[in-house]
Amino acid sequence: MTTRFPDKFLWGCATSAYQIEGAPFADGKGASIWDRFVNTPGMVNNGDTGHVACDHYNRFREDVALMKQLGMQAYRFSLSWARILPNGIGEINPLGVKFYSDLIDECLKNGIEPIVTLYHWDMPAALDDMGGWLNRDCANWFAEYAEVVFKAYDGRVKKWATLNEPWVVTDGGYLHGALAPGHRNKYEAPIASHNIMRAHGAAVKVYRQIGKHEIGLVVNIEPKYPASDKAEDIAATKRAHAYMNEQYLHPAMLGHYPAEMTDIFDDAWPVWAQEDYDLIRQKIDFLGVNYYTRSVTRHESYANSDVTEVVGGVAFHKAPSWPLRATRVIQRGATYTETGWEVFEQGLFDTLKWVKDTYGDIPLYITENGAAFFDPPRASNGRVRDPLRTDYLQRHLSAIHKAIAAGVNVQGYMVWSFMDNLEWSLGFSKRFGIVHVDFETLDRTPKDSARYYSKVIATHGEVLSEPL
Ligand code: BGC
């Protein structure tokens, strides 16, 4: 069977501002919650920070040139809110506006479509001081910021995303504390989730008044499969699916939350006003799906929730089961990435089908997909051999092709990530790039997976049917 993708399929790569830019206080930028978080001892592996990261702020022209050389047709990046509005609201920083304007021009000059995300986790610290996503005013703050950037760039940017992965923002930032702003509070998490979705709705409303192109929402979907047919495992699987996947898509697309939310959060789950649901549910033009792995799920009460599970002498990190009462079961014999995620491409196919069947025939983009694997050092001939990442890409791209053949409207794919970068609280220890970055010299070297992805693009996917 041919693996040729439709001619109009958009091939690209993705990054986010804090993970690559560096220059945290250059040219009038304000502090973000990540600037603070990395300076809090113990929060980021090895004490790593994004102070320099990949220095994309100064090297973006070189990076865009490399994207062009690899054949990229699109570049998905995020804006640092605090570069544009150092205090989050109020005063606009012209040099911050100019930075992204130059980046957008550089993309266009090289025939690369910019896809712009407004929020990839780096809230201006000044707004966090006012409660961040816990403050209902955040919807107005976000709308103010959105208006500034839509006015500045919509003439040149044709695809916008409001949020990247609201689930991670609140699960990591407000429930388990592993990500900025580092709160661990069951009572805050539902409020932060609800407010960030109100902010999404408010930004889409602004876009409908002044924008001329397309706007969507990017979510991470991790399909859940029950570990057994026991009733308690099936119920745990439903809770996990509602919590991670439906909690954001249901209100955005259907105007309500999944029924399981009260079971999960108990007295911490508020009753929301109808006007909030009306704000959250705005017509959007596409959905961005980030897919990395699946979870085989079983019931687990809070009391037994260790954070690691040892299988075959290897300690696997488990997602904390509180307050879900569900956990992930490690699959013997499966391949795991360096972040402990099972390689399971069927889950991407199942996810795409599920999105279509549940939310209708909205255009979909894979806005992130990729893997952290241990990469050997760069060889003297300049090659970085990363066969597992190439294999990961081949499997997942083939699954997307299968989904398109089954009638799912997938219009593009952005590999995560263009280059190795700061993997949030894991620091530089985990490399997701198809381009290797030497964090001493900041040299960029395309890995074998980048060469492979280039061929995929050049052959419209036909090379996927050949053995690796
Ligand atoms: C995020 C990225 C992150 C990647 C790998 C996604 O959840 O959007 O910022 O680097 O996963 O963990």
Side-chain angles (χ1 to χ4, degrees):
M1 191 186 83
T2 169
T3 48
R4 192 180 171 90
F5 278 65
D7 286 346
K8 280 169 67 185
F9 193 82
L10 192 63
W11 300 96
C13 57
T15 64
S16 89
Y18 189 71
Q19 293 179 276
I20 62 164
E21 284 179 2
F25 301 110
D27 299 332
K29 179 181 168 293
S32 82
I33 52 175
W34 271 92
D35 295 312
R36 288 180 172 179
F37 197 70
V38 298
N39 286 309
T40 308
M43 298 319 269
V44 177
N45 182 58
N46 192 41
D48 290 345
T49 74
H51 296 351
V52 177
C54 307
D55 194 31
H56 183 69
Y57 191 73
N58 297 306
R59 294 170 198 243
F60 71 91
R61 292 184 204 279
E62 179 193 325
D63 289 333
V64 172
L66 182 52
M67 287 175 204
K68 184 183 181 183
Q69 193 187 314
L70 293 171
M72 301 292 172
Q73 301 163 349
Y75 175 34
R76 172 179 178 246
F77 57 89
S78 76
L79 308 178
S80 153
W81 185 346
R83 269 195 210 291
I84 310 256
L85 294 144
N87 297 309
I89 47 177
E91 182 212 343
I92 298 172
N93 175 26
L95 291 176
V97 176
K98 179 173 181 304
F99 169 67
Y100 295 109
S101 181
D102 290 348
L103 173 57
I104 291 165
D105 283 346
E106 196 65 19
C107 289
L108 295 174
K109 224 169 68 192
N110 285 283
I112 295 173
E113 176 174 354
I115 301 180
V116 176
T117 304
L118 265 57
Y119 189 73
H120 200 128
W121 310 356
D122 49 355
M123 173 168 273
L127 297 181
D128 192 52
D129 289 342
M130 296 197 283
W133 295 117
L134 298 171
N135 185 332
R136 274 181 72 83
D137 288 347
C138 65
N140 299 329
W141 305 336
F142 195 61
E144 180 181 327
Y145 159 54
E147 184 172 343
V148 172
V149 298
F150 294 154
K151 282 190 175 149
Y153 311 129
D154 192 55
R156 290 169 285 163
V157 172
K158 305 222 161 53
K159 288 184 187 64
W160 295 90
T162 52
L163 309 173
N164 180 71
E165 303 187 349
W167 177 79
V168 177
V169 172
T170 62
D171 181 82
Y174 291 88
L175 186 65
H176 294 123
L179 301 174
H183 300 196
R184 297 187 68 204
N185 191 321
K186 169 176 145 179
Y187 292 85
E188 289 183 356
I191 297 171
S193 288
H194 184 71
N195 279 337
I196 201 173
M197 292 310 292
R198 289 176 52 251
H200 155 78
V204 176
K205 268 180 95 168
V206 172
Y207 193 72
R208 295 302 172 216
Q209 284 155 23
I210 57 179
K212 295 197 171 47
H213 305 105
E214 295 184 350
I215 190 158
L217 169 69
V218 172
V219 288
N220 55 311
I221 304 289
E222 187 180 283
K224 312 289 180 184
Y225 304 83
S228 80
D229 54 13
K230 279 194 223 150
E232 62 170 19
D233 287 343
I234 290 170
T237 305
K238 283 196 180 139
R239 280 196 301 276
H241 177 57
Y243 173 57
M244 192 162 174
N245 303 326
E246 296 174 335
Q247 184 180 184
Y248 303 91
L249 284 179
H250 264 33
M253 305 297 289
L254 308 176
H256 62 84
Y257 286 104
E260 288 81 3
M261 297 315 296
T262 39
D263 180 20
I264 298 164
F265 281 99
D266 199 12
D267 63 328
W269 185 258
V271 176
W272 307 111
Q274 184 57 43
E275 64 179 71
D276 289 359
Y277 289 113
D278 296 343
L279 176 60
I280 295 170
R281 187 189 188 186
Q282 299 293 323
K283 184 187 168 302
I284 52 175
D285 304 305
F286 66 89
L287 268 177
V289 172
N290 294 353
Y291 177 86
Y292 289 93
T293 190
R294 70 156 166 182
S295 166
V296 176
T297 306
R298 73 167 156 75
H299 177 90
E300 184 171 270
S301 56
Y302 316 151
N304 301 329
S305 54
D306 304 310
V307 286
T308 53
E309 179 174 331
V310 179
V311 177
V314 179
F316 285 88
H317 180 79
K318 294 198 304 185
S321 69
W322 172 83
L324 256 190
R325 288 161 288 135
T327 195
R328 183 193 301 250
V329 180
I330 302 303
Q331 301 300 294
R332 282 167 196 274
T335 302
Y336 279 83
T337 72
E338 282 277 297
T339 46
W341 298 342
E342 183 191 352
V343 177
F344 191 71
E345 66 275 13
Q346 177 67 32
L348 177 52
F349 177 86
D350 294 349
T351 291
L352 293 170
K353 283 279 291 168
W354 171 75
V355 171
K356 178 178 172 172
D357 294 346
T358 314
Y359 302 110
D361 204 8
I362 181 166
L364 303 179
Y365 289 85
I366 307 303
T367 32
E368 281 179 35
N369 173 243
F373 283 113
F374 170 78
D375 295 327
R378 190 169 54 161
S380 53
N381 63 2
R383 272 185 79 177
V384 178
R385 294 174 192 270
D386 60 338
L388 288 173
R389 187 174 292 103
T390 303
D391 176 70
Y392 183 99
L393 294 183
Q394 197 235 21
R395 287 169 185 274
H396 288 80
L397 287 166
S398 303
I400 296 166
H401 186 268
K402 210 170 94 182
I404 295 173
V408 185
N409 186 5
V410 189
Q411 302 202 349
Y413 177 87
M414 309 294 131
V415 66
W416 184 271
S417 179
F418 169 63
M419 59 187 159
D420 296 334
N421 56 49
L422 183 94
E423 179 50 28
W424 304 109
S425 48
L426 298 173
F428 296 109
S429 67
K430 302 289 177 259
R431 293 176 176 269
F432 273 89
I434 57 168
V435 170
H436 176 270
V437 176
D438 178 326
F439 289 106
E440 299 284 309
T441 62
L442 296 173
D443 285 346
R444 279 78 159 135
T445 309
K447 303 179 190 177
D448 281 4
S449 57
R451 297 167 191 234
Y452 181 73
Y453 186 49
S454 256
K455 269 194 229 149
V456 172
I457 300 174
T459 63
H460 297 272
E462 272 176 5
V463 73
L464 292 166
S465 57
E466 293 171 16
L468 291 177

